[in-house]
Amino acid sequence: MKNTENLRTELKSLADSLEEVLHNTENKSKAEIDKIRRKAEKALDDSRRKLSDVSGKIIHQTKEVAGRADDYVHENPWTGVGAAVGLVLGILLAKR
């Protein structure tokens, strides 16, 4: 959850910076436009880095959960079979 919220905040910051570049370049000097552009580029670089960090964490967490599920099914095979049968029955009954 925290990773998702951080990512949302970062993407909002990036969007705000890009919006500033798009809307605030009228009647600006080249130096001011360059300053706004550098700010937007920094926001983009920061967002890319954080997105990479978050996606790495999500991949790690997903693999960890999948590993635990695999271990559980191997230790309790009939529970896994029962869950699969229950899922299939639930889907079939829901279609009626």
Side-chain angles (χ1 to χ4, degrees), residues 86-96:
L87 178 66
V88 170
L89 286 176
I91 291 171
L92 293 174
L93 292 174
K95 288 184 178 183
R96 288 183 162 210

Side-chain angles (χ1 to χ4, degrees), residues 14-85:
L14 175 60
D16 291 345
S17 294
L18 293 175
E19 185 176 0
E20 182 180 357
V21 168
L22 293 173
H23 293 106
N24 293 332
T25 55
E26 297 176 12
N27 303 319
K28 299 276 184 181
S29 69
K30 179 162 175 29
E32 290 173 315
I33 292 172
D34 286 344
K35 181 180 177 183
I36 293 170
R37 191 172 132 253
R38 282 191 303 274
K39 180 181 175 184
E41 286 174 345
K42 183 184 181 318
L44 180 60
D45 289 343
D46 289 347
S47 294
R48 282 182 177 156
R49 181 181 46 79
K50 289 180 182 178
L51 180 59
S52 177
D53 291 347
V54 168
S55 65
K57 289 176 184 175
I58 290 171
I59 289 170
H60 174 74
Q61 290 171 347
T62 302
K63 287 181 180 179
E64 189 176 304
V65 169
R68 280 194 238 144
D70 186 54
D71 290 344
Y72 180 81
V73 169
H74 279 85
E75 292 170 7
N76 304 290
W78 288 110
T79 302
V81 169
V85 169

